Amino acid sequence: MPEEKYVAVVTRPVAPLQPGEAAFFDVDNTLMRGASLFHVARKMHQRGAFTLPQAAGFAWKQFKFMARGENIDDVHAVRDSALTLAAGITVDDIKALGEEVYDEMIASRIWPGAKALAEQHLRVGRRVWLVTATPIEVATVISTRLGLTGALGTVGEVSDGMYTGRLVGDILHGSAKAVAVQGIADQEGLDLKRCWAYSDSYNDIPLLSLVGHPVAINPDAKLRRHARDHNWPVYDFRAGRRAATFGLKAATMGGAVYGLWKGFARIRGPRA
């Protein structure tokens, strides 16, 4: 059985199910530009939850994340600060905050190419899950808004309808993602060798190696090398570039081509 603390089910595919098949998407720098957790921190600052110097620290970590990829120390630092600040806040308030964060900061940062890949999986009947260190409330909002199957995310402990400032389990990161996905596979009867996984980070190698169709999107340098050495497909939507792509199934090719076209169009600019 899966680790229930990580799971939030949203919807089902729009086509008849492909038995045993699913796709798993990381969120930060894979599905969206930047880190969703930092946007949560920014929204909390706007609500007066912490000081300007603290907000500046979060902004600097966000800049580094976008420039060089995920740094687990930075992720943990923001997580610890957010947990401390969340203590005593109600679940309803956090859910409302997640909706605001999506509308104001995340929706415009979704990569069209990655979104098209997820939609193509749904179109042919595959379940699509988000797998992210982002708080489950925010991950669920993203999944719901994009019409995906559900989300696996980090869960804060709740008592009497309020967050305690502690986690249920640990942050959903690195090898923990592979464990959570294996749990979903066991519950849903998935054949992981017939499943896809998408990520930008070398830290997600355990997840990517778990499935039969690993794909690197906007990869950091270490993941790009690993993908090249293992002949994994690589897509880079950050500047409309495409790296070498090998073995990507036709079922997802249409979405990838759409995303790449959008990226190239941004670089070329409007035609005369």
Side-chain angles (χ1 to χ4, degrees):
M1 294 295 289
E3 295 283 345
E4 292 293 342
K5 57 181 173 288
Y6 292 133
V7 180
V9 177
V10 180
T11 61
R12 293 293 178 186
V14 297
L17 281 175
Q18 294 290 330
E21 298 184 7
F24 300 92
F25 282 77
D26 174 48
V27 172
D28 298 340
N29 264 3
T30 301
L31 185 63
M32 62 169 283
R33 174 169 49 88
S36 51
L37 183 58
F38 299 133
H39 295 302
V40 173
R42 177 182 168 190
K43 174 57 67 174
M44 292 179 73
H45 166 63
Q46 290 179 356
R47 291 187 170 192
F50 49 87
T51 66
L52 186 59
Q54 287 174 313
F58 292 144
W60 173 242
K61 291 179 176 67
Q62 165 79 334
F63 172 79
K64 290 193 295 181
F65 179 80
M66 293 177 64
R68 71 185 187 191
E70 181 178 84
N71 180 291
I72 189 58
D73 290 337
D74 289 343
V75 173
H76 282 168
V78 175
R79 174 206 63 185
D80 293 342
S81 297
L83 282 172
T84 299
L85 295 165
I89 297 177
T90 69
V91 173
D92 289 342
D93 282 344
I94 292 294
K95 289 180 179 178
L97 183 144
E99 297 282 352
E100 291 180 22
V101 167
Y102 184 88
D103 288 336
E104 298 175 18
M105 303 171 184
I106 293 178
S108 62
R109 291 174 168 83
I110 299 292
W111 298 110
K115 180 172 180 281
L117 284 168
E119 290 172 342
Q120 184 63 18
H121 281 296
L122 288 173
R123 197 171 296 122
V124 300
R126 296 190 188 98
R127 287 159 282 195
V128 178
W129 293 83
L130 301 184
V131 187
T132 175
T134 294
I136 189 63
E137 292 82 7
V138 179
T140 301
V141 169
I142 298 171
S143 182
T144 302
R145 295 296 189 91
L146 295 178
L148 309 182
T149 306
L152 309 176
T154 299
V155 176
E157 182 184 72
V158 176
S159 177
D160 296 327
M162 295 184 179
Y163 290 94
T164 66
R166 295 185 295 270
L167 289 180
V168 177
D170 199 1
I171 188 170
L172 190 59
H173 179 268
S175 60
K177 289 185 178 180
V179 173
V181 167
Q182 182 66 64
I184 285 292
D186 293 342
Q187 176 180 308
E188 300 284 328
L190 301 176
D191 178 356
L192 288 171
K193 295 305 176 186
R194 295 166 55 200
C195 291
W196 279 254
Y198 300 83
S199 179
D200 71 294
S201 175
Y202 182 81
N203 292 315
D204 286 342
I205 290 292
L207 169 61
L208 293 167
S209 300
L210 189 66
V211 301
H213 305 289
V215 181
I217 292 183
N218 307 325
D220 59 32
K222 292 177 69 176
L223 179 57
R224 186 180 293 276
R225 287 194 297 270
H226 188 92
R228 178 193 62 208
D229 292 344
H230 290 78
N231 203 33
W232 290 356
V234 176
Y235 286 90
D236 198 326
F237 300 121
R238 287 170 292 193
R241 302 189 307 270
R242 183 177 70 176
T245 58
F246 303 100
L248 188 62
K249 298 295 183 180
T252 60
M253 188 62 75
V257 170
Y258 169 79
L260 293 168
W261 174 81
K262 293 287 285 186
F264 283 125
R266 286 196 297 271
I267 290 177
R268 289 196 309 265
R271 294 182 179 178

